[in-house]
Coordinates of all heavy atoms in Angstrom, one line a residue:
R1 N 16.9 -22.9 -4.7 CA 16.5 -22.8 -3.3 C 15.8 -21.5 -3.0 O 15.1 -21.3 -2.1 CB 17.6 -22.9 -2.3 CG 18.5 -24.2 -2.4 CD 17.8 -25.5 -2.4 NE 17.5 -25.9 -1.1 CZ 16.4 -26.6 -0.9 NH1 15.5 -26.9 -1.8 NH2 16.1 -27.1 0.3
L2 N 15.9 -20.5 -4.0 CA 15.3 -19.2 -3.8 C 13.7 -19.3 -3.7 O 13.1 -18.7 -3.0 CB 15.6 -18.3 -5.1 CG 15.0 -16.9 -5.0 CD1 15.4 -16.1 -3.9 CD2 15.3 -16.2 -6.3
L3 N 13.2 -20.3 -4.4 CA 11.7 -20.5 -4.4 C 11.2 -21.0 -3.0 O 10.0 -20.9 -2.8 CB 11.3 -21.5 -5.5 CG 11.6 -20.9 -7.0 CD1 11.1 -22.0 -7.9 CD2 10.9 -19.6 -7.2
D4 N 12.1 -21.5 -2.3 CA 11.7 -21.9 -0.8 C 11.5 -20.8 0.1 O 11.0 -21.1 1.3 CB 12.8 -23.0 -0.3 CG 12.8 -24.2 -1.1 OD1 11.7 -24.6 -1.8 OD2 13.8 -25.0 -1.1
L5 N 11.9 -19.6 -0.3 CA 11.9 -18.4 0.6 C 10.5 -17.8 0.7 O 9.8 -17.8 -0.4 CB 12.9 -17.4 0.3 CG 14.4 -17.8 0.5 CD1 15.2 -16.7 -0.1 CD2 14.7 -18.2 1.9
P6 N 10.0 -17.4 1.7 CA 8.7 -16.7 1.6 C 8.8 -15.4 1.0 O 9.8 -14.8 1.0 CB 8.3 -16.4 3.2 CG 9.6 -16.6 3.9 CD 10.5 -17.5 3.1
A7 N 7.7 -14.9 0.3 CA 7.8 -13.8 -0.6 C 8.2 -12.5 0.1 O 9.0 -11.7 -0.3 CB 6.5 -13.5 -1.2
D8 N 7.8 -12.4 1.4 CA 8.1 -11.0 2.1 C 9.6 -11.2 2.7 O 10.1 -10.1 3.2 CB 7.2 -10.8 3.2 CG 7.0 -11.9 4.3 OD1 7.6 -13.0 4.1 OD2 6.4 -11.7 5.3
G9 N 10.2 -12.3 2.6 CA 11.6 -12.5 3.0 C 12.6 -12.1 1.9 O 13.8 -11.9 2.2
V10 N 12.1 -12.0 0.7 CA 13.0 -11.6 -0.5 C 13.1 -10.1 -0.5 O 12.0 -9.5 -0.6 CB 12.4 -12.3 -1.7 CG1 13.3 -11.9 -2.9 CG2 12.3 -13.7 -1.6
A11 N 14.3 -9.5 -0.6 CA 14.5 -8.1 -0.6 C 13.8 -7.5 -1.8 O 13.8 -8.1 -2.8 CB 15.9 -7.7 -0.7
G12 N 13.1 -6.3 -1.6 CA 12.5 -5.6 -2.6 C 11.1 -6.1 -3.1 O 10.4 -5.4 -3.9
V13 N 10.5 -7.1 -2.5 CA 9.2 -7.5 -2.9 C 8.2 -6.7 -2.2 O 8.2 -6.5 -1.0 CB 9.1 -9.1 -2.6 CG1 7.6 -9.5 -2.8 CG2 10.0 -9.9 -3.3
P14 N 7.2 -6.0 -2.9 CA 6.2 -5.2 -2.4 C 5.4 -6.1 -1.3 O 5.1 -7.2 -1.6 CB 5.4 -4.7 -3.4 CG 6.4 -4.8 -4.6 CD 7.2 -5.9 -4.4
K15 N 5.0 -5.5 -0.3 CA 4.0 -6.2 0.7 C 2.9 -5.2 1.0 O 3.1 -4.0 1.4 CB 4.8 -6.6 2.0 CG 4.0 -7.3 3.0 CD 4.8 -7.5 4.2 CE 4.0 -8.2 5.4 NZ 4.8 -8.5 6.5
V16 N 1.7 -5.7 1.0 CA 0.5 -4.9 1.3 C -0.2 -5.5 2.5 O -0.5 -6.8 2.5 CB -0.4 -4.8 0.1 CG1 -1.7 -4.1 0.5 CG2 0.2 -4.3 -1.1
E17 N -0.5 -4.8 3.5 CA -1.2 -5.4 4.6 C -2.4 -4.4 5.0 O -2.2 -3.2 5.2 CB -0.2 -5.4 5.9 CG -0.8 -6.1 7.1 CD 0.2 -6.1 8.2 OE1 1.4 -6.0 7.9 OE2 -0.2 -6.4 9.4
L18 N -3.6 -5.0 5.1 CA -4.8 -4.2 5.3 C -5.3 -4.6 6.7 O -5.4 -5.8 7.0 CB -5.9 -4.6 4.3 CG -7.3 -3.8 4.5 CD1 -6.9 -2.4 4.3 CD2 -8.2 -4.3 3.4
L19 N -5.3 -3.7 7.6 CA -5.8 -3.8 9.0 C -7.2 -3.4 9.1 O -7.4 -2.1 9.2 CB -4.9 -3.1 10.0 CG -3.3 -3.4 9.7 CD1 -2.5 -2.6 10.6 CD2 -3.1 -4.8 10.2
G20 N -8.1 -4.3 9.0 CA -9.5 -3.9 9.0 C -9.9 -3.2 7.8 O -9.4 -3.5 6.7
D21 N -10.7 -2.2 7.9 CA -11.0 -1.3 6.7 C -10.5 0.1 6.9 O -10.9 1.0 6.2 CB -12.5 -1.4 6.3 CG -13.4 -0.8 7.4 OD1 -12.9 -0.5 8.5 OD2 -14.6 -0.7 7.2
R22 N -9.7 0.3 7.9 CA -9.3 1.6 8.3 C -7.8 2.0 8.1 O -7.4 3.1 8.3 CB -9.7 2.0 9.8 CG -11.2 1.8 10.1 CD -11.8 3.1 9.7 NE -11.3 4.2 10.4 CZ -11.6 5.5 10.2 NH1 -12.4 5.8 9.2 NH2 -11.0 6.4 10.8
E23 N -7.0 1.0 7.9 CA -5.6 1.2 7.9 C -4.9 0.2 6.8 O -5.2 -0.9 6.8 CB -4.8 1.1 9.3 CG -3.4 1.3 9.3 CD -2.8 1.2 10.6 OE1 -3.6 1.0 11.7 OE2 -1.6 1.3 10.7
L24 N -4.0 0.8 6.0 CA -3.3 0.0 5.0 C -1.8 0.4 5.2 O -1.4 1.5 5.4 CB -3.7 0.5 3.6 CG -3.1 -0.3 2.5 CD1 -4.0 -1.6 2.3 CD2 -3.1 0.6 1.2
Y25 N -1.0 -0.7 5.1 CA 0.4 -0.6 5.3 C 1.1 -1.1 4.1 O 0.8 -2.3 3.7 CB 0.8 -1.4 6.5 CG 2.2 -1.5 6.8 CD1 3.0 -0.4 7.2 CD2 3.0 -2.7 6.6 CE1 4.4 -0.5 7.4 CE2 4.3 -2.8 6.9 CZ 5.0 -1.7 7.2 OH 6.3 -1.8 7.4
L26 N 1.9 -0.5 3.5 CA 2.7 -0.9 2.3 C 4.2 -0.8 2.6 O 4.7 0.1 3.2 CB 2.5 0.1 1.1 CG 1.4 -0.3 0.2 CD1 0.0 0.0 0.7 CD2 1.5 0.5 -1.1
E27 N 4.9 -1.9 2.1 CA 6.4 -1.9 2.3 C 7.0 -2.1 0.9 O 6.3 -2.8 0.0 CB 6.8 -3.2 3.1 CG 7.1 -3.0 4.5 CD 7.6 -4.3 5.2 OE1 8.1 -5.1 4.5 OE2 7.3 -4.4 6.3
N28 N 8.1 -1.6 0.7 CA 8.9 -1.6 -0.6 C 8.1 -1.1 -1.8 O 8.2 -1.7 -2.9 CB 9.2 -3.1 -0.9 CG 10.2 -3.7 0.2 OD1 11.1 -3.0 0.7 ND2 9.9 -4.8 0.6
Y29 N 7.3 0.0 -1.6 CA 6.8 0.5 -2.8 C 7.7 1.5 -3.5 O 8.7 1.8 -2.9 CB 5.5 1.4 -2.3 CG 5.8 2.6 -1.6 CD1 5.8 3.9 -2.2 CD2 6.3 2.6 -0.2 CE1 6.1 5.1 -1.4 CE2 6.5 3.7 0.6 CZ 6.5 5.0 -0.1 OH 6.7 6.1 0.5
K30 N 7.4 1.9 -4.7 CA 8.3 2.7 -5.5 C 8.0 4.2 -5.4 O 8.8 5.1 -5.5 CB 8.3 2.2 -7.0 CG 8.7 0.8 -7.2 CD 10.0 0.5 -6.7 CE 10.3 -1.1 -7.1 NZ 11.4 -1.5 -6.3
G31 N 6.7 4.5 -5.3 CA 6.3 5.9 -5.3 C 4.8 6.1 -5.3 O 4.1 5.1 -5.5
I32 N 4.3 7.4 -5.1 CA 2.9 7.6 -5.1 C 2.7 8.3 -6.5 O 3.3 9.3 -6.8 CB 2.5 8.5 -4.0 CG1 2.8 7.8 -2.7 CG2 1.1 8.9 -4.1 CD1 2.5 8.6 -1.5
L33 N 1.8 7.7 -7.2 CA 1.4 8.3 -8.6 C 0.4 9.3 -8.5 O 0.4 10.3 -9.3 CB 1.1 7.1 -9.6 CG 2.1 6.1 -9.7 CD1 1.6 4.9 -10.5 CD2 3.3 6.7 -10.4
S34 N -0.6 9.1 -7.7 CA -1.7 10.1 -7.5 C -2.3 9.9 -6.1 O -2.3 8.9 -5.5 CB -2.8 10.0 -8.6 OG -3.6 8.8 -8.4
Y35 N -2.7 11.1 -5.6 CA -3.3 11.1 -4.2 C -4.4 12.0 -4.1 O -4.4 13.2 -4.5 CB -2.1 11.7 -3.3 CG -2.4 11.9 -2.0 CD1 -3.0 10.9 -1.1 CD2 -2.2 13.2 -1.3 CE1 -3.3 11.1 0.2 CE2 -2.6 13.2 0.1 CZ -3.0 12.3 0.8 OH -3.4 12.4 2.2
G36 N -5.5 11.4 -3.5 CA -6.7 12.2 -3.3 C -7.5 11.5 -2.0 O -7.1 10.5 -1.6
K37 N -8.5 12.2 -1.6 CA -9.2 11.7 -0.4 C -10.0 10.4 -0.7 O -10.4 9.7 0.2 CB -10.1 12.8 0.2 CG -9.4 14.0 0.8 CD -8.9 13.6 2.1 CE -8.3 14.8 2.9 NZ -7.8 14.3 4.1
E38 N -10.3 10.2 -2.1 CA -11.1 9.0 -2.4 C -10.3 8.0 -3.2 O -10.9 6.9 -3.4 CB -12.3 9.5 -3.1 CG -13.3 10.3 -2.3 CD -14.5 10.8 -3.1 OE1 -14.6 10.6 -4.3 OE2 -15.4 11.3 -2.4
E39 N -9.2 8.3 -3.6 CA -8.4 7.3 -4.6 C -7.0 7.7 -4.5 O -6.6 8.8 -4.6 CB -8.9 7.3 -5.9 CG -8.4 6.1 -6.7 CD -9.2 6.0 -8.0 OE1 -10.3 5.6 -8.0 OE2 -8.6 6.5 -9.1
L40 N -6.2 6.6 -4.3 CA -4.6 6.7 -4.5 C -4.2 5.7 -5.3 O -4.7 4.6 -5.5 CB -4.0 6.5 -3.0 CG -4.0 7.5 -2.0 CD1 -5.3 7.3 -1.1 CD2 -2.8 7.4 -1.1
H41 N -3.1 6.1 -6.1 CA -2.4 5.1 -6.9 C -1.0 5.0 -6.4 O -0.3 6.0 -6.4 CB -2.5 5.6 -8.4 CG -3.8 5.5 -9.0 ND1 -4.6 6.6 -9.1 CD2 -4.5 4.5 -9.5 CE1 -5.8 6.4 -9.7 NE2 -5.7 5.1 -9.9
V42 N -0.6 3.8 -6.1 CA 0.8 3.6 -5.6 C 1.6 2.6 -6.6 O 1.1 1.7 -7.0 CB 0.7 2.9 -4.3 CG1 2.2 2.7 -3.7 CG2 0.0 3.9 -3.2
D43 N 2.7 3.1 -6.9 CA 3.7 2.3 -7.8 C 4.3 1.2 -7.0 O 5.0 1.4 -6.1 CB 4.7 3.2 -8.5 CG 5.7 2.6 -9.4 OD1 5.5 1.3 -9.7 OD2 6.6 3.2 -9.9
G44 N 4.0 -0.1 -7.4 CA 4.6 -1.2 -6.7 C 5.7 -1.9 -7.6 O 6.1 -3.0 -7.3
G45 N 6.1 -1.2 -8.6 CA 7.1 -1.7 -9.5 C 6.6 -2.3 -10.8 O 6.3 -1.7 -11.7
A46 N 6.2 -3.6 -10.7 CA 5.6 -4.3 -11.8 C 4.1 -4.1 -11.9 O 3.5 -4.5 -12.9 CB 5.9 -5.8 -11.7
W47 N 3.6 -3.4 -10.9 CA 2.1 -3.2 -10.9 C 1.8 -1.8 -10.2 O 2.7 -1.3 -9.6 CB 1.4 -4.3 -10.2 CG 2.0 -4.8 -9.0 CD1 2.8 -5.8 -8.8 CD2 1.8 -4.2 -7.6 NE1 3.2 -5.9 -7.5 CE2 2.7 -5.0 -6.7 CE3 1.2 -3.1 -7.2 CZ2 2.7 -4.7 -5.4 CZ3 1.2 -2.9 -5.7 CH2 1.9 -3.6 -4.9
V48 N 0.5 -1.4 -10.4 CA 0.1 -0.2 -9.6 C -1.1 -0.7 -8.8 O -2.0 -1.4 -9.2 CB -0.4 0.8 -10.6 CG1 -1.1 2.0 -9.9 CG2 0.7 1.3 -11.5
L49 N -1.1 -0.2 -7.4 CA -2.1 -0.5 -6.6 C -3.0 0.7 -6.5 O -2.6 1.8 -6.2 CB -1.6 -0.8 -5.2 CG -2.6 -1.1 -4.1 CD1 -3.4 -2.4 -4.3 CD2 -1.8 -1.2 -2.8
R50 N -4.3 0.5 -6.8 CA -5.3 1.5 -6.7 C -6.1 1.2 -5.5 O -6.7 0.2 -5.2 CB -6.3 1.6 -7.9 CG -7.3 2.6 -7.7 CD -8.3 2.8 -8.8 NE -8.4 1.7 -9.8 CZ -8.8 1.8 -11.0 NH1 -9.2 3.0 -11.5 NH2 -9.0 0.7 -11.8
I51 N -6.1 2.2 -4.6 CA -6.8 2.2 -3.2 C -8.0 3.2 -3.3 O -7.8 4.4 -3.6 CB -5.9 2.6 -2.1 CG1 -4.5 1.8 -2.1 CG2 -6.6 2.5 -0.7 CD1 -3.4 2.4 -1.4
S52 N -9.2 2.6 -3.2 CA -10.4 3.4 -3.2 C -11.1 3.4 -1.8 O -10.9 2.5 -1.1 CB -11.3 2.8 -4.2 OG -10.8 2.8 -5.5
G53 N -11.7 4.5 -1.5 CA -12.3 4.7 -0.2 C -12.9 6.1 0.0 O -13.1 6.9 -0.9
R54 N -12.9 6.4 1.3 CA -13.2 7.9 1.6 C -12.4 8.3 2.8 O -11.9 7.6 3.6 CB -14.6 8.0 1.8 CG -15.2 7.4 3.1 CD -16.7 7.8 3.2 NE -17.1 7.5 4.6 CZ -17.6 6.4 5.0 NH1 -17.8 5.4 4.3 NH2 -18.0 6.4 6.4
D55 N -12.0 9.5 2.8 CA -11.2 10.2 3.8 C -9.9 9.5 3.9 O -9.3 9.4 5.1 CB -11.9 10.2 5.2 CG -13.3 10.9 5.2 OD1 -13.4 11.9 4.6 OD2 -14.2 10.5 5.9
L56 N -9.3 9.2 2.8 CA -8.0 8.5 2.8 C -6.9 9.6 3.0 O -7.0 10.7 2.5 CB -7.8 7.9 1.4 CG -8.8 6.8 1.0 CD1 -8.4 6.3 -0.4 CD2 -8.6 5.6 2.1
E57 N -6.0 9.3 3.9 CA -4.9 10.1 4.2 C -3.7 9.4 4.5 O -3.6 8.3 5.2 CB -5.3 10.9 5.5 CG -4.5 11.9 5.9 CD -5.0 12.7 7.2 OE1 -6.2 12.5 7.6 OE2 -4.4 13.6 7.6
I58 N -2.5 9.9 4.0 CA -1.2 9.3 4.3 C -0.8 9.9 5.6 O -0.6 11.0 5.8 CB -0.2 9.7 3.2 CG1 -0.7 9.1 1.8 CG2 1.2 9.2 3.6 CD1 0.2 9.6 0.6
K59 N -0.6 8.9 6.5 CA -0.2 9.3 7.9 C 1.3 9.1 8.1 O 1.8 9.9 8.9 CB -0.9 8.4 8.9 CG -2.4 8.8 9.1 CD -2.5 10.1 9.7 CE -3.9 10.4 10.1 NZ -4.1 11.7 10.9
A60 N 2.0 8.3 7.4 CA 3.4 8.0 7.5 C 3.9 7.7 6.3 O 3.4 6.8 5.5 CB 3.6 7.0 8.6
M61 N 5.1 8.3 5.8 CA 5.7 8.0 4.6 C 7.2 8.0 4.7 O 7.8 9.0 5.0 CB 5.3 9.1 3.5 CG 5.7 8.8 2.1 SD 4.9 10.0 1.1 CE 6.0 9.9 -0.3
R62 N 7.8 6.9 4.6 CA 9.2 6.7 4.7 C 9.7 6.1 3.4 O 8.9 5.9 2.5 CB 9.5 5.8 5.8 CG 9.1 6.3 7.2 CD 9.6 5.5 8.4 NE 9.2 6.0 9.6 CZ 8.0 5.8 10.2 NH1 7.1 4.9 9.7 NH2 7.7 6.4 11.4
E63 N 11.0 5.9 3.3 CA 11.7 5.5 2.0 C 11.0 4.1 1.6 O 10.7 4.0 0.4 CB 13.1 5.3 2.2 CG 13.8 4.9 1.0 CD 15.3 4.7 1.2 OE1 15.9 5.1 2.2 OE2 16.0 4.1 0.3
R64 N 10.7 3.2 2.5 CA 10.2 1.9 2.0 C 8.9 1.6 2.7 O 8.3 0.6 2.4 CB 11.2 0.8 2.4 CG 12.5 1.0 1.6 CD 13.4 -0.2 2.1 NE 14.6 -0.1 1.2 CZ 15.0 -1.1 0.4 NH1 14.3 -2.2 0.3 NH2 16.0 -0.8 -0.4
E65 N 8.3 2.4 3.5 CA 7.0 2.2 4.2 C 6.1 3.3 4.0 O 6.4 4.5 4.0 CB 7.3 2.0 5.7 CG 8.2 0.9 6.0 CD 8.5 0.9 7.6 OE1 7.9 1.6 8.3 OE2 9.4 0.1 8.0
L66 N 4.8 2.9 3.9 CA 3.7 3.9 3.7 C 2.5 3.4 4.5 O 2.1 2.2 4.5 CB 3.3 3.9 2.2 CG 2.2 4.9 1.7 CD1 2.7 6.3 2.0 CD2 1.9 4.7 0.3
R67 N 1.9 4.4 5.3 CA 0.7 4.0 6.1 C -0.4 5.0 5.6 O -0.2 6.2 5.6 CB 0.9 4.2 7.6 CG 1.8 3.1 8.2 CD 1.7 3.1 9.7 NE 2.6 2.0 10.2 CZ 2.2 0.8 10.4 NH1 1.0 0.4 10.1 NH2 3.1 -0.2 10.8
I68 N -1.6 4.4 5.4 CA -2.8 5.1 4.9 C -3.8 4.8 5.8 O -4.2 3.7 6.1 CB -3.1 4.7 3.4 CG1 -1.9 5.1 2.5 CG2 -4.4 5.4 3.0 CD1 -2.0 4.4 1.2
F69 N -4.6 5.9 6.2 CA -5.7 5.8 7.2 C -6.9 6.2 6.4 O -6.8 7.0 5.5 CB -5.5 6.5 8.5 CG -4.4 5.9 9.4 CD1 -3.1 6.1 9.1 CD2 -4.9 5.2 10.5 CE1 -2.2 5.5 10.0 CE2 -4.0 4.6 11.3 CZ -2.6 4.8 11.2
G70 N -8.0 5.8 6.8 CA -9.3 6.3 6.2 C -10.1 5.0 6.0 O -9.9 3.9 6.5
W71 N -11.3 5.1 5.3 CA -12.2 4.0 5.1 C -11.8 3.4 3.7 O -12.0 4.0 2.6 CB -13.7 4.5 5.0 CG -14.1 5.0 6.3 CD1 -14.2 6.4 6.6 CD2 -14.6 4.3 7.5 NE1 -14.6 6.5 7.9 CE2 -14.9 5.2 8.4 CE3 -14.7 2.8 7.7 CZ2 -15.3 4.7 9.7 CZ3 -15.2 2.5 8.9 CH2 -15.5 3.4 9.9
V72 N -11.1 2.3 3.7 CA -10.7 1.6 2.6 C -11.8 0.6 2.1 O -12.2 -0.4 2.7 CB -9.4 0.8 2.8 CG1 -9.0 0.0 1.6 CG2 -8.3 1.6 3.3
S73 N -12.3 0.9 0.9 CA -13.5 0.1 0.4 C -13.0 -0.9 -0.7 O -13.7 -1.9 -1.0 CB -14.5 1.0 -0.2 OG -14.0 1.8 -1.2
K74 N -11.9 -0.6 -1.4 CA -11.4 -1.5 -2.6 C -10.0 -1.3 -2.8 O -9.4 -0.2 -2.8 CB -12.2 -1.1 -3.9 CG -11.9 -2.0 -5.0 CD -12.5 -1.5 -6.3 CE -14.0 -1.3 -6.3 NZ -14.4 -1.0 -7.7
L75 N -9.3 -2.4 -3.1 CA -7.9 -2.5 -3.5 C -7.9 -3.2 -4.9 O -8.5 -4.3 -5.0 CB -7.0 -3.3 -2.5 CG -7.0 -2.8 -1.1 CD1 -6.1 -3.8 -0.3 CD2 -6.3 -1.4 -1.1
E76 N -7.2 -2.6 -5.8 CA -7.0 -3.2 -7.2 C -5.6 -3.2 -7.7 O -5.0 -2.1 -7.5 CB -8.0 -2.3 -8.2 CG -9.4 -2.5 -7.9 CD -10.2 -1.6 -8.9 OE1 -10.3 -0.4 -8.5 OE2 -10.6 -2.0 -9.9
I77 N -5.2 -4.3 -8.2 CA -3.9 -4.3 -8.8 C -4.0 -4.1 -10.3 O -4.8 -4.8 -10.9 CB -3.1 -5.6 -8.5 CG1 -2.9 -5.8 -7.0 CG2 -1.8 -5.7 -9.2 CD1 -2.3 -7.1 -6.6
L78 N -3.4 -3.0 -10.8 CA -3.4 -2.7 -12.3 C -2.3 -3.1 -13.1 O -1.2 -3.1 -12.4 CB -3.8 -1.2 -12.4 CG -5.0 -0.7 -11.5 CD1 -5.0 0.8 -11.6 CD2 -6.3 -1.3 -12.0

């Protein structure tokens, strides 16, 4: 029955939400691997999320939540 549950309802599953091209919201991330104005690498556990753009800035960082503002041009799962 576990497979009947939505992915974001299962504890610990990373969730990425892009709001337009100016705001990115991450839940259940493991950590930040690198941080710059044009590129960020975020540890998602089994993968790394590379966020590319310009004027990228971490606006809120909590234990399980991360908000990034700026011009997001590309998201890549590595």
Side-chain angles (χ1 to χ4, degrees):
R1 305 305 283 143
L2 178 65
L3 297 177
D4 292 337
L5 297 174
D8 60 351
V10 180
V13 173
K15 178 180 177 183
V16 179
E17 185 176 342
L18 182 61
L19 306 169
D21 63 354
R22 299 279 302 170
E23 184 177 349
L24 184 85
Y25 174 71
L26 268 75
E27 263 183 31
N28 299 320
Y29 72 101
K30 305 295 183 203
I32 297 173
L33 302 174
S34 68
Y35 174 55
K37 291 285 188 184
E38 295 181 355
E39 191 170 283
L40 283 91
H41 293 99
V42 180
D43 182 359
W47 45 264
V48 172
L49 178 65
R50 180 175 18 200
I51 304 158
S52 302
R54 68 177 202 266
D55 298 325
L56 299 175
E57 187 174 353
I58 296 173
K59 287 290 190 175
M61 187 171 157
R62 295 185 181 92
E63 182 180 348
R64 294 182 177 241
E65 299 176 8
L66 182 65
R67 286 197 183 273
I68 299 167
F69 287 78
W71 296 98
V72 178
S73 59
K74 187 191 301 186
L75 298 174
E76 295 174 273
I77 296 175
L78 308 174

